[in-house]
Amino acid sequence: MAYREAVSRAGVVAMLLPDEVAPGVWPELVTGLPGGAGVVFAHGFNLLYGALEFPAGADVVLVSPTGPGRVVRSTYERGEGVPAYLAVHLDGTGGAKAAFDERLAVLGAMNIMRIMGIFARLVVRDNKPRYDTFQP
């Protein structure tokens, strides 16, 4: 099944591809996204450096656990979680925060902490390095 066809049936797409691969497949993926679809990224490089274009009305969130998949799974099975980096990149539907919280609950990351991606945007995109000292 082609990427475009696969995402055309999705309400939420998880982008788990390596950062260097995502820009190459993104043009095909994005043309298949239905209106109001959500996209969840596990890595923030392409979000932070603007490598991808998103359709109007899209919800784009980052949920990036700080451990490898096997650790995320084993801690979740024990009723715990791992810390995760979290950010709402775009809130096209007005419901991105709720979708964001659902993903955190699934990972168990809400049990540990929330680190919002605002610090990265302030430091890198907005050129305000002093905010780097405030990061948790």
Side-chain angles (χ1 to χ4, degrees), residues 49-73:
Y49 292 103
L52 310 175
E53 302 254 341
F54 300 98
D59 288 340
V60 181
V61 299
L62 171 75
V63 179
S64 184
T66 58
R70 63 183 165 71
V71 173
V72 173
R73 179 70 183 162

Side-chain angles (χ1 to χ4, degrees), residues 10-94:
V12 175
V13 174
M15 284 292 292
L16 305 175
L17 298 170
D19 292 323
E20 63 275 11
V21 173
V25 298
W26 184 250
E28 183 182 351
L29 288 172
V30 75
T31 59
L33 281 176
V39 184
V40 179
F41 283 82
H43 301 100
F45 183 88
N46 288 306
L47 299 176
L48 188 60
Y49 292 103
L52 310 175
E53 302 254 341
F54 300 98
D59 288 340
V60 181
V61 299
L62 171 75
V63 179
S64 184
T66 58
R70 63 183 165 71
V71 173
V72 173
R73 179 70 183 162
S74 66
T75 58
Y76 178 77
E77 287 174 338
R78 290 193 312 265
E80 301 169 5
V82 298
Y85 294 99
L86 319 166
V88 174
H89 184 69
L90 294 174
D91 188 5
T93 66

